[in-house]
Amino acid sequence: GRCRLLCKPSALAQHLVRSLGRSAALRGGRWLWPCWPRLQMLRQLLQPPEPEPAVARELLQLPDTGLVALDWLVGRRGARSGSGGGGPSSVLLLIPNAAGKVTGGLLQLGLRALERGFVPVIFNRRGHNGCPLTTPRLQPFGDPGDLREAVTYLRCRHPTASLLAVSEGSGSGLLLAYLGESGSSSRLAAAACISPIFRGRDWFEAGMPWLYEWPLLLHLKRGLSRYVGSLAEAVDVDRLLGSRSLRELEEALFCRTKSRPTSWEAYWERNEPLRDADEAAVPVLCLCSADDPVRGPPARSLPLELFRSSPYFFLLLTPRGGHCGFPRRGAGPCWGHEAVLEYFRAMAEFLRAEERRKGLPRPR
């Protein structure tokens, strides 16, 4: 469907071109309203999945006594549980957007993965999606410390399974920062980003369509209002709840703090998603559309040189799809989800072939 794969030539790139080219997911990826990506974006943000999946929640305590929540998808009928013994299935870590909004699209991806034999689990940051806030500290945009603890726990819980990760929208800033900081020690076999935000500071400063920004802003404020008492010792709560944009809220939470205030420039020096991209050592598929109204025009929002120079970054670019949408014509599932799952299947196939070719023993 006129998709293009931009990447550095390699054996893996050739394998992905063949696999994705044969996939039915990338054929017929047309959508009903090619001129209304903002309307499609609002539908994707607000529409719940049908039916809504059941989840089993685990709370993971961090070294500073903070908590993150892991929501294991157990299917429509509760037939599967992530709390069982670690089997050979691949564990798929799902990372919501930076506001912690678990969209219907992300849940549908988890259900599709569950049907394919994956073990899907959603990573919820401190204070997000009902996760208790036990410290007066939230997770900055590109600080992968909490995600690293969660990945370490998942590796211990499922020691024989392949560990994969997929992020949605602005949540990709966290995943990309983690891959860059961790390098070859990321413990992930592969990763994918759906409609990622590559340049965090530029994204906040450019502003977003109000159809997207206001629902997320209200979602964040509603969640933070539960913890006004504990946050009052760290931030100006009046400024926080009075924020009229995601940038103002980000500054109130992480720059204008009472104990360690910092500048907007210094904050992004530590939190830009691609600050250590050259160190990434895990294959990453980035699924993007040219008409994404949230990320912005491709010419200024896509780091094309990164995909041309790094053997680990792959850009699957489509002319239509909106932001995290990629719907099919009719009532079929999101073709972007099918493309991501096909990518993970192709990656596993390629790695098995490389092990056989090199005569490497499979890890016990």
Side-chain angles (χ1 to χ4, degrees):
R2 294 187 297 161
C3 292
R4 292 186 299 143
L5 187 68
L6 179 63
C7 57
K8 185 176 182 179
S10 66
L12 174 57
Q14 293 175 0
H15 179 74
L16 288 179
V17 169
R18 289 193 298 269
S19 297
L20 293 174
R22 292 193 301 264
S23 173
L26 269 68
R27 294 195 294 272
R30 307 182 180 201
W31 63 304
L32 294 174
W33 311 303
C35 298
W36 298 342
R38 296 191 179 192
L39 181 61
Q40 180 273 328
M41 168 195 68
L42 187 63
R43 173 181 174 272
Q44 185 273 340
L45 193 63
L46 299 179
Q47 184 179 23
E50 298 177 0
E52 191 160 341
V55 298
R57 170 160 289 192
E58 269 187 298
L59 294 176
L60 178 63
Q61 189 172 50
L62 305 169
D64 67 347
T65 72
L67 294 175
V68 295
L70 298 175
D71 288 340
W72 300 90
L73 270 66
V74 295
R76 296 180 174 90
R77 300 177 182 172
R80 188 179 207 124
S81 173
S83 59
S89 300
S90 296
V91 176
L92 181 60
L93 182 61
L94 303 166
I95 302 175
N97 59 42
K101 175 69 174 176
V102 180
T103 64
L106 192 70
L107 291 174
Q108 290 291 1
L109 172 58
L111 285 174
R112 293 292 295 171
L114 190 66
E115 294 168 359
R116 301 276 186 92
F118 293 82
V119 180
V121 55
I122 299 172
F123 172 77
N124 298 287
R125 309 185 196 204
R126 305 172 186 229
H128 284 187
N129 195 26
C131 177
L133 186 65
T134 57
T135 62
R137 177 182 178 272
L138 292 165
Q139 188 173 10
F141 187 85
D143 178 2
D146 292 354
L147 180 61
R148 185 179 299 110
E149 295 290 335
V151 169
T152 301
Y153 170 75
L154 293 175
R155 171 52 63 213
C156 293
R157 194 63 178 270
H158 293 266
T160 62
S162 295
L163 187 55
L164 311 167
V166 59
S167 56
E168 188 178 64
S170 53
S172 299
L174 184 61
L175 179 56
L176 292 170
Y178 170 74
L179 294 172
E181 278 200 10
S182 301
S184 59
S185 303
S186 70
R187 301 173 182 260
L188 298 178
C193 301
I194 300 176
S195 297
I197 302 300
F198 295 103
R199 299 184 171 100
R201 180 179 177 180
D202 291 347
W203 182 66
F204 275 96
E205 291 179 351
M208 286 146 271
W210 68 268
L211 282 173
Y212 179 81
E213 185 167 25
W214 276 94
L216 288 185
L217 189 61
L218 292 175
H219 174 79
L220 269 170
K221 287 183 179 181
R222 184 172 60 184
L224 292 172
S225 64
R226 300 173 56 192
Y227 308 113
V228 165
S230 59
L231 287 173
E233 60 185 88
V235 301
D236 184 338
V237 173
D238 291 336
R239 179 188 292 272
L240 178 68
L241 298 180
S243 301
R244 289 190 275 183
S245 68
L246 289 175
R247 173 179 175 170
E248 288 183 16
L249 188 138
E250 194 81 3
E251 284 190 281
L253 275 176
F254 303 112
C255 298
R256 302 177 184 274
T257 58
K258 294 180 179 179
S259 58
R260 293 184 179 178
T262 187
S263 67
W264 183 245
E265 292 75 16
Y267 174 74
W268 285 110
E269 286 178 7
R270 298 190 301 270
N271 287 282
E272 273 294 352
L274 297 180
R275 62 187 181 276
D276 297 312
D278 292 343
E279 301 297 323
V282 171
V284 188
L285 178 72
C286 297
L287 176 58
C288 300
S289 65
D291 67 342
D292 187 334
V294 174
R295 189 198 64 243
R300 66 173 175 81
S301 62
L302 293 179
L304 299 180
E305 187 54 38
L306 174 66
F307 296 101
R308 296 189 181 103
S309 60
S310 173
Y312 295 106
F313 283 87
F314 303 87
L315 174 63
L316 185 59
L317 184 62
T318 176
R320 303 291 183 188
H323 184 71
C324 301
F326 309 101
R328 290 184 190 275
R329 184 181 296 277
C334 166
W335 69 261
H337 297 165
E338 299 297 312
V340 167
L341 295 177
E342 173 61 25
Y343 158 73
F344 286 137
R345 187 204 63 78
M347 278 298 310
E349 182 181 75
F350 179 82
L351 293 176
R352 286 195 297 269
E354 286 294 291
E355 288 173 356
R356 290 194 297 269
R357 185 177 67 83
K358 297 178 180 180
L360 297 175
R362 290 191 63 80
R364 298 180 61 184

mmCIF file with all atom_site columns, all heavy atoms in Angstrom, residues 299-315:
data_model
loop_
_atom_site.group_PDB
_atom_site.id
_atom_site.type_symbol
_atom_site.label_atom_id
_atom_site.label_alt_id
_atom_site.label_comp_id
_atom_site.label_asym_id
_atom_site.label_entity_id
_atom_site.label_seq_id
_atom_site.pdbx_PDB_ins_code
_atom_site.Cartn_x
_atom_site.Cartn_y
_atom_site.Cartn_z
_atom_site.occupancy
_atom_site.B_iso_or_equiv
_atom_site.pdbx_formal_charge
_atom_site.auth_seq_id
_atom_site.auth_comp_id
_atom_site.auth_asym_id
_atom_site.auth_atom_id
_atom_site.pdbx_PDB_model_num
ATOM 1   N N   . ALA A 1 299 ? 9.497  16.312 7.284  1.00 0.00 ? 299 ALA A N   1
ATOM 2   C CA  . ALA A 1 299 ? 10.775 16.958 7.001  1.00 0.00 ? 299 ALA A CA  1
ATOM 3   C C   . ALA A 1 299 ? 11.479 17.433 8.266  1.00 0.00 ? 299 ALA A C   1
ATOM 4   O O   . ALA A 1 299 ? 12.711 17.407 8.353  1.00 0.00 ? 299 ALA A O   1
ATOM 5   C CB  . ALA A 1 299 ? 10.576 18.126 6.044  1.00 0.00 ? 299 ALA A CB  1
ATOM 6   N N   . ARG A 1 300 ? 10.723 17.875 9.285  1.00 0.00 ? 300 ARG A N   1
ATOM 7   C CA  . ARG A 1 300 ? 11.361 18.385 10.491 1.00 0.00 ? 300 ARG A CA  1
ATOM 8   C C   . ARG A 1 300 ? 11.204 17.469 11.701 1.00 0.00 ? 300 ARG A C   1
ATOM 9   O O   . ARG A 1 300 ? 11.837 17.703 12.734 1.00 0.00 ? 300 ARG A O   1
ATOM 10  C CB  . ARG A 1 300 ? 10.800 19.772 10.846 1.00 0.00 ? 300 ARG A CB  1
ATOM 11  C CG  . ARG A 1 300 ? 9.346  19.789 11.256 1.00 0.00 ? 300 ARG A CG  1
ATOM 12  C CD  . ARG A 1 300 ? 8.944  21.174 11.757 1.00 0.00 ? 300 ARG A CD  1
ATOM 13  N NE  . ARG A 1 300 ? 7.530  21.310 12.061 1.00 0.00 ? 300 ARG A NE  1
ATOM 14  C CZ  . ARG A 1 300 ? 6.957  20.895 13.185 1.00 0.00 ? 300 ARG A CZ  1
ATOM 15  N NH1 . ARG A 1 300 ? 7.700  20.309 14.112 1.00 0.00 ? 300 ARG A NH1 1
ATOM 16  N NH2 . ARG A 1 300 ? 5.662  21.054 13.373 1.00 0.00 ? 300 ARG A NH2 1
ATOM 17  N N   . SER A 1 301 ? 10.393 16.428 11.586 1.00 0.00 ? 301 SER A N   1
ATOM 18  C CA  . SER A 1 301 ? 10.138 15.591 12.764 1.00 0.00 ? 301 SER A CA  1
ATOM 19  C C   . SER A 1 301 ? 10.696 14.173 12.651 1.00 0.00 ? 301 SER A C   1
ATOM 20  O O   . SER A 1 301 ? 10.715 13.450 13.642 1.00 0.00 ? 301 SER A O   1
ATOM 21  C CB  . SER A 1 301 ? 8.629  15.512 13.034 1.00 0.00 ? 301 SER A CB  1
ATOM 22  O OG  . SER A 1 301 ? 7.950  14.918 11.944 1.00 0.00 ? 301 SER A OG  1
ATOM 23  N N   . LEU A 1 302 ? 11.156 13.770 11.471 1.00 0.00 ? 302 LEU A N   1
ATOM 24  C CA  . LEU A 1 302 ? 11.720 12.430 11.299 1.00 0.00 ? 302 LEU A CA  1
ATOM 25  C C   . LEU A 1 302 ? 13.241 12.514 11.169 1.00 0.00 ? 302 LEU A C   1
ATOM 26  O O   . LEU A 1 302 ? 13.747 13.231 10.295 1.00 0.00 ? 302 LEU A O   1
ATOM 27  C CB  . LEU A 1 302 ? 11.142 11.749 10.051 1.00 0.00 ? 302 LEU A CB  1
ATOM 28  C CG  . LEU A 1 302 ? 9.654  11.399 10.075 1.00 0.00 ? 302 LEU A CG  1
ATOM 29  C CD1 . LEU A 1 302 ? 9.253  10.746 8.760  1.00 0.00 ? 302 LEU A CD1 1
ATOM 30  C CD2 . LEU A 1 302 ? 9.330  10.486 11.241 1.00 0.00 ? 302 LEU A CD2 1
ATOM 31  N N   . PRO A 1 303 ? 14.002 11.806 12.001 1.00 0.00 ? 303 PRO A N   1
ATOM 32  C CA  . PRO A 1 303 ? 15.475 11.815 11.900 1.00 0.00 ? 303 PRO A CA  1
ATOM 33  C C   . PRO A 1 303 ? 15.948 10.864 10.797 1.00 0.00 ? 303 PRO A C   1
ATOM 34  O O   . PRO A 1 303 ? 16.478 9.782  11.067 1.00 0.00 ? 303 PRO A O   1
ATOM 35  C CB  . PRO A 1 303 ? 15.902 11.331 13.289 1.00 0.00 ? 303 PRO A CB  1
ATOM 36  C CG  . PRO A 1 303 ? 14.789 10.429 13.723 1.00 0.00 ? 303 PRO A CG  1
ATOM 37  C CD  . PRO A 1 303 ? 13.528 10.991 13.141 1.00 0.00 ? 303 PRO A CD  1
ATOM 38  N N   . LEU A 1 304 ? 15.768 11.271 9.556  1.00 0.00 ? 304 LEU A N   1
ATOM 39  C CA  . LEU A 1 304 ? 16.016 10.375 8.428  1.00 0.00 ? 304 LEU A CA  1
ATOM 40  C C   . LEU A 1 304 ? 17.453 9.887  8.384  1.00 0.00 ? 304 LEU A C   1
ATOM 41  O O   . LEU A 1 304 ? 17.725 8.744  8.001  1.00 0.00 ? 304 LEU A O   1
ATOM 42  C CB  . LEU A 1 304 ? 15.649 11.091 7.119  1.00 0.00 ? 304 LEU A CB  1
ATOM 43  C CG  . LEU A 1 304 ? 14.180 11.529 6.986  1.00 0.00 ? 304 LEU A CG  1
ATOM 44  C CD1 . LEU A 1 304 ? 13.950 12.218 5.655  1.00 0.00 ? 304 LEU A CD1 1
ATOM 45  C CD2 . LEU A 1 304 ? 13.256 10.332 7.138  1.00 0.00 ? 304 LEU A CD2 1
ATOM 46  N N   . GLU A 1 305 ? 18.405 10.730 8.786  1.00 0.00 ? 305 GLU A N   1
ATOM 47  C CA  . GLU A 1 305 ? 19.809 10.325 8.743  1.00 0.00 ? 305 GLU A CA  1
ATOM 48  C C   . GLU A 1 305 ? 20.084 9.158  9.687  1.00 0.00 ? 305 GLU A C   1
ATOM 49  O O   . GLU A 1 305 ? 20.936 8.306  9.415  1.00 0.00 ? 305 GLU A O   1
ATOM 50  C CB  . GLU A 1 305 ? 20.706 11.513 9.092  1.00 0.00 ? 305 GLU A CB  1
ATOM 51  C CG  . GLU A 1 305 ? 22.194 11.252 8.908  1.00 0.00 ? 305 GLU A CG  1
ATOM 52  C CD  . GLU A 1 305 ? 22.546 10.761 7.515  1.00 0.00 ? 305 GLU A CD  1
ATOM 53  O OE1 . GLU A 1 305 ? 21.932 11.246 6.539  1.00 0.00 ? 305 GLU A OE1 1
ATOM 54  O OE2 . GLU A 1 305 ? 23.420 9.879  7.416  1.00 0.00 ? 305 GLU A OE2 1
ATOM 55  N N   . LEU A 1 306 ? 19.368 9.096  10.803 1.00 0.00 ? 306 LEU A N   1
ATOM 56  C CA  . LEU A 1 306 ? 19.542 7.994  11.739 1.00 0.00 ? 306 LEU A CA  1
ATOM 57  C C   . LEU A 1 306 ? 19.199 6.666  11.076 1.00 0.00 ? 306 LEU A C   1
ATOM 58  O O   . LEU A 1 306 ? 19.910 5.667  11.253 1.00 0.00 ? 306 LEU A O   1
ATOM 59  C CB  . LEU A 1 306 ? 18.651 8.219  12.966 1.00 0.00 ? 306 LEU A CB  1
ATOM 60  C CG  . LEU A 1 306 ? 18.606 7.074  13.996 1.00 0.00 ? 306 LEU A CG  1
ATOM 61  C CD1 . LEU A 1 306 ? 19.963 6.889  14.659 1.00 0.00 ? 306 LEU A CD1 1
ATOM 62  C CD2 . LEU A 1 306 ? 17.525 7.350  15.042 1.00 0.00 ? 306 LEU A CD2 1
ATOM 63  N N   . PHE A 1 307 ? 18.117 6.636  10.292 1.00 0.00 ? 307 PHE A N   1
ATOM 64  C CA  . PHE A 1 307 ? 17.704 5.395  9.642  1.00 0.00 ? 307 PHE A CA  1
ATOM 65  C C   . PHE A 1 307 ? 18.649 5.017  8.501  1.00 0.00 ? 307 PHE A C   1
ATOM 66  O O   . PHE A 1 307 ? 18.805 3.836  8.189  1.00 0.00 ? 307 PHE A O   1
ATOM 67  C CB  . PHE A 1 307 ? 16.273 5.533  9.127  1.00 0.00 ? 307 PHE A CB  1
ATOM 68  C CG  . PHE A 1 307 ? 15.261 5.724  10.224 1.00 0.00 ? 307 PHE A CG  1
ATOM 69  C CD1 . PHE A 1 307 ? 14.761 6.989  10.519 1.00 0.00 ? 307 PHE A CD1 1
ATOM 70  C CD2 . PHE A 1 307 ? 14.836 4.647  10.987 1.00 0.00 ? 307 PHE A CD2 1
ATOM 71  C CE1 . PHE A 1 307 ? 13.845 7.166  11.532 1.00 0.00 ? 307 PHE A CE1 1
ATOM 72  C CE2 . PHE A 1 307 ? 13.913 4.825  12.014 1.00 0.00 ? 307 PHE A CE2 1
ATOM 73  C CZ  . PHE A 1 307 ? 13.423 6.086  12.291 1.00 0.00 ? 307 PHE A CZ  1
ATOM 74  N N   . ARG A 1 308 ? 19.278 6.005  7.904  1.00 0.00 ? 308 ARG A N   1
ATOM 75  C CA  . ARG A 1 308 ? 20.224 5.702  6.826  1.00 0.00 ? 308 ARG A CA  1
ATOM 76  C C   . ARG A 1 308 ? 21.569 5.208  7.347  1.00 0.00 ? 308 ARG A C   1
ATOM 77  O O   . ARG A 1 308 ? 22.281 4.478  6.660  1.00 0.00 ? 308 ARG A O   1
ATOM 78  C CB  . ARG A 1 308 ? 20.457 6.950  5.968  1.00 0.00 ? 308 ARG A CB  1
ATOM 79  C CG  . ARG A 1 308 ? 19.219 7.439  5.219  1.00 0.00 ? 308 ARG A CG  1
ATOM 80  C CD  . ARG A 1 308 ? 19.591 8.526  4.226  1.00 0.00 ? 308 ARG A CD  1
ATOM 81  N NE  . ARG A 1 308 ? 18.429 9.036  3.510  1.00 0.00 ? 308 ARG A NE  1
ATOM 82  C CZ  . ARG A 1 308 ? 17.835 10.180 3.763  1.00 0.00 ? 308 ARG A CZ  1
ATOM 83  N NH1 . ARG A 1 308 ? 18.315 10.967 4.728  1.00 0.00 ? 308 ARG A NH1 1
ATOM 84  N NH2 . ARG A 1 308 ? 16.792 10.569 3.066  1.00 0.00 ? 308 ARG A NH2 1
ATOM 85  N N   . SER A 1 309 ? 21.932 5.603  8.575  1.00 0.00 ? 309 SER A N   1
ATOM 86  C CA  . SER A 1 309 ? 23.274 5.305  9.073  1.00 0.00 ? 309 SER A CA  1
ATOM 87  C C   . SER A 1 309 ? 23.331 4.175  10.092 1.00 0.00 ? 309 SER A C   1
ATOM 88  O O   . SER A 1 309 ? 24.351 3.501  10.213 1.00 0.00 ? 309 SER A O   1
ATOM 89  C CB  . SER A 1 309 ? 23.895 6.565  9.694  1.00 0.00 ? 309 SER A CB  1
ATOM 90  O OG  . SER A 1 309 ? 23.094 7.026  10.781 1.00 0.00 ? 309 SER A OG  1
ATOM 91  N N   . SER A 1 310 ? 22.253 3.949  10.845 1.00 0.00 ? 310 SER A N   1
ATOM 92  C CA  . SER A 1 310 ? 22.280 2.917  11.889 1.00 0.00 ? 310 SER A CA  1
ATOM 93  C C   . SER A 1 310 ? 21.731 1.599  11.364 1.00 0.00 ? 310 SER A C   1
ATOM 94  O O   . SER A 1 310 ? 20.670 1.563  10.735 1.00 0.00 ? 310 SER A O   1
ATOM 95  C CB  . SER A 1 310 ? 21.443 3.363  13.094 1.00 0.00 ? 310 SER A CB  1
ATOM 96  O OG  . SER A 1 310 ? 21.327 2.296  14.029 1.00 0.00 ? 310 SER A OG  1
ATOM 97  N N   . PRO A 1 311 ? 22.414 0.488  11.631 1.00 0.00 ? 311 PRO A N   1
ATOM 98  C CA  . PRO A 1 311 ? 21.896 -0.814 11.185 1.00 0.00 ? 311 PRO A CA  1
ATOM 99  C C   . PRO A 1 311 ? 20.755 -1.332 12.050 1.00 0.00 ? 311 PRO A C   1
ATOM 100 O O   . PRO A 1 311 ? 20.181 -2.376 11.737 1.00 0.00 ? 311 PRO A O   1
ATOM 101 C CB  . PRO A 1 311 ? 23.127 -1.720 11.311 1.00 0.00 ? 311 PRO A CB  1
ATOM 102 C CG  . PRO A 1 311 ? 23.943 -1.110 12.404 1.00 0.00 ? 311 PRO A CG  1
ATOM 103 C CD  . PRO A 1 311 ? 23.737 0.374  12.290 1.00 0.00 ? 311 PRO A CD  1
ATOM 104 N N   . TYR A 1 312 ? 20.396 -0.613 13.126 1.00 0.00 ? 312 TYR A N   1
ATOM 105 C CA  . TYR A 1 312 ? 19.372 -1.096 14.050 1.00 0.00 ? 312 TYR A CA  1
ATOM 106 C C   . TYR A 1 312 ? 18.033 -0.372 13.924 1.00 0.00 ? 312 TYR A C   1
ATOM 107 O O   . TYR A 1 312 ? 17.040 -0.820 14.501 1.00 0.00 ? 312 TYR A O   1
ATOM 108 C CB  . TYR A 1 312 ? 19.870 -0.968 15.497 1.00 0.00 ? 312 TYR A CB  1
ATOM 109 C CG  . TYR A 1 312 ? 21.049 -1.858 15.792 1.00 0.00 ? 312 TYR A CG  1
ATOM 110 C CD1 . TYR A 1 312 ? 22.333 -1.329 15.918 1.00 0.00 ? 312 TYR A CD1 1
ATOM 111 C CD2 . TYR A 1 312 ? 20.886 -3.223 15.940 1.00 0.00 ? 312 TYR A CD2 1
ATOM 112 C CE1 . TYR A 1 312 ? 23.424 -2.147 16.182 1.00 0.00 ? 312 TYR A CE1 1
ATOM 113 C CE2 . TYR A 1 312 ? 21.972 -4.052 16.205 1.00 0.00 ? 312 TYR A CE2 1
ATOM 114 C CZ  . TYR A 1 312 ? 23.236 -3.508 16.321 1.00 0.00 ? 312 TYR A CZ  1
ATOM 115 O OH  . TYR A 1 312 ? 24.311 -4.319 16.578 1.00 0.00 ? 312 TYR A OH  1
ATOM 116 N N   . PHE A 1 313 ? 17.968 0.726  13.194 1.00 0.00 ? 313 PHE A N   1
ATOM 117 C CA  . PHE A 1 313 ? 16.735 1.501  13.099 1.00 0.00 ? 313 PHE A CA  1
ATOM 118 C C   . PHE A 1 313 ? 16.113 1.334  11.711 1.00 0.00 ? 313 PHE A C   1
ATOM 119 O O   . PHE A 1 313 ? 16.790 1.522  10.699 1.00 0.00 ? 313 PHE A O   1
ATOM 120 C CB  . PHE A 1 313 ? 16.999 2.979  13.380 1.00 0.00 ? 313 PHE A CB  1
ATOM 121 C CG  . PHE A 1 313 ? 17.183 3.296  14.838 1.00 0.00 ? 313 PHE A CG  1
ATOM 122 C CD1 . PHE A 1 313 ? 18.435 3.198  15.428 1.00 0.00 ? 313 PHE A CD1 1
ATOM 123 C CD2 . PHE A 1 313 ? 16.106 3.664  15.627 1.00 0.00 ? 313 PHE A CD2 1
ATOM 124 C CE1 . PHE A 1 313 ? 18.622 3.470  16.774 1.00 0.00 ? 313 PHE A CE1 1
ATOM 125 C CE2 . PHE A 1 313 ? 16.273 3.944  16.976 1.00 0.00 ? 313 PHE A CE2 1
ATOM 126 C CZ  . PHE A 1 313 ? 17.534 3.844  17.555 1.00 0.00 ? 313 PHE A CZ  1
ATOM 127 N N   . PHE A 1 314 ? 14.806 1.015  11.695 1.00 0.00 ? 314 PHE A N   1
ATOM 128 C CA  . PHE A 1 314 ? 14.071 0.794  10.450 1.00 0.00 ? 314 PHE A CA  1
ATOM 129 C C   . PHE A 1 314 ? 12.820 1.670  10.463 1.00 0.00 ? 314 PHE A C   1
ATOM 130 O O   . PHE A 1 314 ? 12.030 1.627  11.408 1.00 0.00 ? 314 PHE A O   1
ATOM 131 C CB  . PHE A 1 314 ? 13.674 -0.683 10.312 1.00 0.00 ? 314 PHE A CB  1
ATOM 132 C CG  . PHE A 1 314 ? 14.843 -1.626 10.354 1.00 0.00 ? 314 PHE A CG  1
ATOM 133 C CD1 . PHE A 1 314 ? 15.318 -2.102 11.576 1.00 0.00 ? 314 PHE A CD1 1
ATOM 134 C CD2 . PHE A 1 314 ? 15.470 -2.026 9.190  1.00 0.00 ? 314 PHE A CD2 1
ATOM 135 C CE1 . PHE A 1 314 ? 16.396 -2.960 11.624 1.00 0.00 ? 314 PHE A CE1 1
ATOM 136 C CE2 . PHE A 1 314 ? 16.556 -2.899 9.228  1.00 0.00 ? 314 PHE A CE2 1
ATOM 137 C CZ  . PHE A 1 314 ? 17.025 -3.356 10.450 1.00 0.00 ? 314 PHE A CZ  1
ATOM 138 N N   . LEU A 1 315 ? 12.638 2.455  9.419  1.00 0.00 ? 315 LEU A N   1
ATOM 139 C CA  . LEU A 1 315 ? 11.484 3.356  9.311  1.00 0.00 ? 315 LEU A CA  1
ATOM 140 C C   . LEU A 1 315 ? 10.528 2.807  8.272  1.00 0.00 ? 315 LEU A C   1
ATOM 141 O O   . LEU A 1 315 ? 10.865 2.714  7.085  1.00 0.00 ? 315 LEU A O   1
ATOM 142 C CB  . LEU A 1 315 ? 11.928 4.765  8.923  1.00 0.00 ? 315 LEU A CB  1
ATOM 143 C CG  . LEU A 1 315 ? 10.787 5.765  8.629  1.00 0.00 ? 315 LEU A CG  1
ATOM 144 C CD1 . LEU A 1 315 ? 9.930  5.992  9.870  1.00 0.00 ? 315 LEU A CD1 1
ATOM 145 C CD2 . LEU A 1 315 ? 11.354 7.086  8.118  1.00 0.00 ? 315 LEU A CD2 1
#
